CSV table of all heavy atoms in Angstrom, one decimal:
chain,number,residue,atom,x,y,z
U,1381,ARG,N,-13.4,-83.1,36.7
U,1381,ARG,CA,-13.5,-83.8,35.5
U,1381,ARG,C,-13.0,-82.9,34.3
U,1381,ARG,O,-13.0,-83.4,33.2
U,1381,ARG,CB,-15.0,-84.2,35.2
U,1381,ARG,CG,-15.9,-83.0,34.9
U,1381,ARG,CD,-17.3,-83.5,34.4
U,1381,ARG,NE,-18.2,-82.4,34.2
U,1381,ARG,CZ,-18.2,-81.7,33.1
U,1381,ARG,NH1,-17.3,-82.0,32.1
U,1381,ARG,NH2,-19.1,-80.7,32.9
U,1383,ALA,N,-13.8,-79.5,33.6
U,1383,ALA,CA,-14.6,-78.4,33.1
U,1383,ALA,C,-14.1,-77.0,33.6
U,1383,ALA,O,-13.5,-77.0,34.7
U,1383,ALA,CB,-16.0,-78.6,33.4
U,1384,PHE,N,-14.3,-76.0,32.9
U,1384,PHE,CA,-14.0,-74.6,33.3
U,1384,PHE,C,-15.3,-74.1,34.0
U,1384,PHE,O,-16.3,-73.9,33.3
U,1384,PHE,CB,-13.5,-73.8,32.2
U,1384,PHE,CG,-13.4,-72.3,32.5
U,1384,PHE,CD1,-12.2,-71.9,33.2
U,1384,PHE,CD2,-14.4,-71.4,32.2
U,1384,PHE,CE1,-12.1,-70.6,33.5
U,1384,PHE,CE2,-14.2,-70.1,32.5
U,1384,PHE,CZ,-13.0,-69.6,33.2
U,1385,VAL,N,-15.2,-73.7,35.2
U,1385,VAL,CA,-16.4,-73.3,36.0
U,1385,VAL,C,-16.1,-71.9,36.6
U,1385,VAL,O,-15.0,-71.7,37.2
U,1385,VAL,CB,-16.8,-74.2,37.1
U,1385,VAL,CG1,-18.1,-73.8,37.8
U,1385,VAL,CG2,-17.0,-75.6,36.6
U,1386,GLN,N,-17.0,-70.9,36.4
U,1386,GLN,CA,-16.9,-69.6,37.0
U,1386,GLN,C,-18.1,-69.4,37.9
U,1386,GLN,O,-19.3,-69.6,37.5
U,1386,GLN,CB,-16.9,-68.5,35.9
U,1386,GLN,CG,-15.5,-68.3,35.3
U,1386,GLN,CD,-15.5,-67.1,34.4
U,1386,GLN,OE1,-16.5,-66.9,33.6
U,1386,GLN,NE2,-14.5,-66.2,34.5
U,1412,ILE,N,-27.0,-78.1,37.2
U,1412,ILE,CA,-25.7,-78.4,36.6
U,1412,ILE,C,-25.2,-79.8,36.9
U,1412,ILE,O,-24.2,-80.3,36.3
U,1412,ILE,CB,-24.6,-77.4,37.1
U,1412,ILE,CG1,-24.4,-77.6,38.6
U,1412,ILE,CG2,-25.0,-76.0,36.8
U,1412,ILE,CD1,-23.2,-76.7,39.1
U,1415,VAL,N,-25.3,-82.0,33.5
U,1415,VAL,CA,-24.6,-81.6,32.3
U,1415,VAL,C,-23.2,-82.0,32.3
U,1415,VAL,O,-22.6,-82.3,33.4
U,1415,VAL,CB,-24.7,-80.0,32.1
U,1415,VAL,CG1,-26.1,-79.6,31.9
U,1415,VAL,CG2,-24.0,-79.3,33.2
U,1416,ARG,N,-22.6,-82.2,31.1
U,1416,ARG,CA,-21.2,-82.5,31.0
U,1416,ARG,C,-20.5,-81.5,30.1
U,1416,ARG,O,-19.7,-81.9,29.2
U,1416,ARG,CB,-21.0,-84.0,30.5
U,1416,ARG,CG,-21.5,-85.0,31.5
U,1416,ARG,CD,-20.5,-85.0,32.7
U,1416,ARG,NE,-20.9,-86.0,33.7
U,1416,ARG,CZ,-21.7,-85.8,34.7
U,1416,ARG,NH1,-22.2,-84.6,34.9
U,1416,ARG,NH2,-21.9,-86.7,35.6
U,1417,SER,N,-20.8,-80.3,30.3
U,1417,SER,CA,-20.3,-79.3,29.4
U,1417,SER,C,-18.9,-78.9,29.7
U,1417,SER,O,-18.4,-79.2,30.8
U,1417,SER,CB,-21.2,-78.0,29.5
U,1417,SER,OG,-22.6,-78.3,29.3
U,1418,ASP,N,-18.2,-78.2,28.7
U,1418,ASP,CA,-16.8,-77.8,28.9
U,1418,ASP,C,-16.7,-76.5,29.7
U,1418,ASP,O,-15.7,-76.3,30.4
U,1418,ASP,CB,-16.2,-77.6,27.6
U,1418,ASP,CG,-16.2,-78.9,26.7
U,1418,ASP,OD1,-15.8,-80.0,27.3
U,1418,ASP,OD2,-16.7,-78.9,25.6
U,1419,ARG,N,-17.7,-75.7,29.7
U,1419,ARG,CA,-17.7,-74.4,30.4
U,1419,ARG,C,-19.0,-74.2,31.1
U,1419,ARG,O,-20.1,-74.3,30.4
U,1419,ARG,CB,-17.4,-73.3,29.4
U,1419,ARG,CG,-17.3,-71.9,30.0
U,1419,ARG,CD,-17.0,-70.9,29.0
U,1419,ARG,NE,-15.7,-71.1,28.3
U,1419,ARG,CZ,-15.3,-70.5,27.3
U,1419,ARG,NH1,-16.0,-69.5,26.7
U,1419,ARG,NH2,-14.1,-70.8,26.8
U,1420,ILE,N,-19.0,-73.8,32.3
U,1420,ILE,CA,-20.2,-73.6,33.1
U,1420,ILE,C,-20.0,-72.2,33.8
U,1420,ILE,O,-19.0,-72.0,34.5
U,1420,ILE,CB,-20.4,-74.7,34.2
U,1420,ILE,CG1,-20.6,-76.0,33.5
U,1420,ILE,CG2,-21.7,-74.3,35.0
U,1420,ILE,CD1,-20.7,-77.2,34.4
U,1421,ILE,N,-20.9,-71.4,33.7
U,1421,ILE,CA,-20.9,-70.0,34.3
U,1421,ILE,C,-22.1,-69.9,35.2
U,1421,ILE,O,-23.3,-70.0,34.7
U,1421,ILE,CB,-20.8,-68.9,33.2
U,1421,ILE,CG1,-19.6,-69.1,32.3
U,1421,ILE,CG2,-20.8,-67.5,33.9
U,1421,ILE,CD1,-19.5,-68.2,31.2
U,1435,VAL,N,-27.6,-69.4,35.0
U,1435,VAL,CA,-26.7,-70.5,34.8
U,1435,VAL,C,-26.6,-70.9,33.3
U,1435,VAL,O,-27.6,-71.1,32.7
U,1435,VAL,CB,-27.2,-71.8,35.6
U,1435,VAL,CG1,-26.2,-72.9,35.5
U,1435,VAL,CG2,-27.4,-71.4,37.1
U,1436,VAL,N,-25.3,-70.9,32.8
U,1436,VAL,CA,-25.1,-71.2,31.4
U,1436,VAL,C,-24.1,-72.3,31.3
U,1436,VAL,O,-23.0,-72.2,32.0
U,1436,VAL,CB,-24.6,-69.9,30.7
U,1436,VAL,CG1,-24.4,-70.3,29.2
U,1436,VAL,CG2,-25.6,-68.8,30.8
U,1437,ALA,N,-24.4,-73.3,30.5
U,1437,ALA,CA,-23.4,-74.4,30.3
U,1437,ALA,C,-23.2,-74.5,28.8
U,1437,ALA,O,-24.1,-74.6,28.0
U,1437,ALA,CB,-24.0,-75.8,30.8
U,1438,ILE,N,-21.9,-74.5,28.4
U,1438,ILE,CA,-21.5,-74.5,27.0
U,1438,ILE,C,-20.6,-75.6,26.7
U,1438,ILE,O,-19.6,-75.9,27.5
U,1438,ILE,CB,-20.9,-73.2,26.6
U,1438,ILE,CG1,-21.8,-72.0,26.9
U,1438,ILE,CG2,-20.5,-73.1,25.2
U,1438,ILE,CD1,-21.2,-70.6,26.8
U,1439,SER,N,-20.8,-76.3,25.6
U,1439,SER,CA,-19.9,-77.3,25.1
U,1439,SER,C,-19.1,-76.8,23.9
U,1439,SER,O,-19.7,-76.0,23.1
U,1439,SER,CB,-20.6,-78.6,24.7
U,1439,SER,OG,-21.2,-79.2,25.8
U,1440,ILE,N,-17.8,-77.1,23.8
U,1440,ILE,CA,-17.0,-76.5,22.8
U,1440,ILE,C,-16.5,-77.6,21.8
U,1440,ILE,O,-16.0,-78.7,22.3
U,1440,ILE,CB,-15.8,-75.8,23.4
U,1440,ILE,CG1,-16.2,-74.7,24.3
U,1440,ILE,CG2,-14.8,-75.3,22.3
U,1440,ILE,CD1,-15.1,-74.0,25.1
U,1441,ASP,N,-16.7,-77.4,20.5
U,1441,ASP,CA,-16.2,-78.3,19.5
U,1441,ASP,C,-14.7,-78.0,19.3
U,1441,ASP,O,-14.3,-77.0,18.9
U,1441,ASP,CB,-17.0,-78.0,18.2
U,1441,ASP,CG,-16.6,-79.0,17.1
U,1441,ASP,OD1,-15.6,-79.7,17.2
U,1441,ASP,OD2,-17.4,-79.1,16.1
U,1450,GLU,N,-14.6,-70.2,17.1
U,1450,GLU,CA,-15.1,-70.5,18.5
U,1450,GLU,C,-16.6,-70.2,18.5
U,1450,GLU,O,-17.3,-71.0,19.2
U,1450,GLU,CB,-14.4,-69.6,19.5
U,1450,GLU,CG,-12.9,-69.9,19.6
U,1450,GLU,CD,-12.2,-69.1,20.7
U,1450,GLU,OE1,-12.9,-68.3,21.3
U,1450,GLU,OE2,-11.0,-69.3,20.9
U,1451,ASP,N,-17.1,-69.2,17.8
U,1451,ASP,CA,-18.5,-68.9,17.9
U,1451,ASP,C,-19.3,-70.0,17.3
U,1451,ASP,O,-20.4,-70.4,17.8
U,1451,ASP,CB,-18.8,-67.6,17.2
U,1451,ASP,CG,-18.2,-66.4,17.9
U,1451,ASP,OD1,-18.0,-66.5,19.1
U,1451,ASP,OD2,-18.0,-65.3,17.2
U,1452,GLU,N,-18.8,-70.6,16.1
U,1452,GLU,CA,-19.6,-71.7,15.5
U,1452,GLU,C,-19.4,-73.0,16.3
U,1452,GLU,O,-20.2,-73.9,16.1
U,1452,GLU,CB,-19.1,-71.8,14.1
U,1452,GLU,CG,-19.5,-70.7,13.1
U,1452,GLU,CD,-18.6,-69.5,13.2
U,1452,GLU,OE1,-17.7,-69.5,14.1
U,1452,GLU,OE2,-18.9,-68.5,12.5
U,1453,GLY,N,-18.3,-73.1,17.0
U,1453,GLY,CA,-18.0,-74.3,17.7
U,1453,GLY,C,-18.6,-74.4,19.1
U,1453,GLY,O,-18.3,-75.4,19.8
U,1454,GLU,N,-19.4,-73.4,19.5
U,1454,GLU,CA,-20.0,-73.4,20.9
U,1454,GLU,C,-21.4,-73.8,20.8
U,1454,GLU,O,-22.2,-73.4,20.0
U,1454,GLU,CB,-19.9,-72.1,21.5
U,1454,GLU,CG,-18.4,-71.6,21.8
U,1454,GLU,CD,-18.4,-70.3,22.6
U,1454,GLU,OE1,-19.4,-69.7,22.7
U,1454,GLU,OE2,-17.3,-69.9,23.0
U,1455,GLU,N,-21.8,-74.7,21.7
U,1455,GLU,CA,-23.2,-75.2,21.8
U,1455,GLU,C,-23.7,-75.0,23.2
U,1455,GLU,O,-23.1,-75.5,24.1
U,1455,GLU,CB,-23.3,-76.7,21.4
U,1455,GLU,CG,-24.7,-77.2,21.4
U,1455,GLU,CD,-24.8,-78.7,21.0
U,1455,GLU,OE1,-23.8,-79.2,20.5
U,1455,GLU,OE2,-25.9,-79.2,21.2
U,1456,VAL,N,-24.8,-74.3,23.3
U,1456,VAL,CA,-25.4,-74.1,24.7
U,1456,VAL,C,-26.2,-75.3,25.1
U,1456,VAL,O,-27.2,-75.7,24.5
U,1456,VAL,CB,-26.3,-72.8,24.6
U,1456,VAL,CG1,-26.9,-72.6,26.0
U,1456,VAL,CG2,-25.5,-71.6,24.2
U,1457,ASP,N,-25.7,-75.9,26.2
U,1457,ASP,CA,-26.3,-77.1,26.7
U,1457,ASP,C,-27.4,-76.7,27.8
U,1457,ASP,O,-28.4,-77.5,27.9
U,1457,ASP,CB,-25.3,-78.0,27.4
U,1457,ASP,CG,-24.3,-78.5,26.4
U,1457,ASP,OD1,-24.6,-78.7,25.2
U,1457,ASP,OD2,-23.1,-78.7,26.8
U,1458,LEU,N,-27.2,-75.6,28.4
U,1458,LEU,CA,-28.1,-75.2,29.5
U,1458,LEU,C,-28.1,-73.7,29.6
U,1458,LEU,O,-27.1,-73.0,29.6
U,1458,LEU,CB,-27.7,-75.8,30.8
U,1458,LEU,CG,-28.5,-75.4,32.1
U,1458,LEU,CD1,-29.9,-75.8,32.0
U,1458,LEU,CD2,-27.8,-75.8,33.4
U,1459,TRP,N,-29.3,-73.2,29.6
U,1459,TRP,CA,-29.5,-71.7,29.9
U,1459,TRP,C,-30.7,-71.6,30.9
U,1459,TRP,O,-31.8,-71.9,30.5
U,1459,TRP,CB,-29.9,-71.0,28.6
U,1459,TRP,CG,-30.0,-69.5,28.8
U,1459,TRP,CD1,-31.1,-68.8,29.4
U,1459,TRP,CD2,-29.1,-68.5,28.6
U,1459,TRP,NE1,-30.9,-67.5,29.5
U,1459,TRP,CE2,-29.6,-67.2,29.0
U,1459,TRP,CE3,-27.8,-68.5,28.0
U,1459,TRP,CZ2,-28.9,-66.0,28.8
U,1459,TRP,CZ3,-27.1,-67.3,27.9
U,1459,TRP,CH2,-27.7,-66.1,28.3
Side-chain angles (χ1 to χ4, degrees):
R1381 68 174 179 81
F1384 173 79
V1385 184
Q1386 277 188 315
I1412 65 174
V1415 299
R1416 289 295 180 268
S1417 305
D1418 300 307
R1419 182 180 299 171
I1420 300 174
I1421 301 173
V1435 182
V1436 180
I1438 301 173
S1439 293
I1440 300 176
D1441 186 341
E1450 295 184 0
D1451 293 338
E1452 290 78 0
E1454 293 183 353
E1455 180 180 351
V1456 177
D1457 301 325
L1458 173 65
W1459 182 283

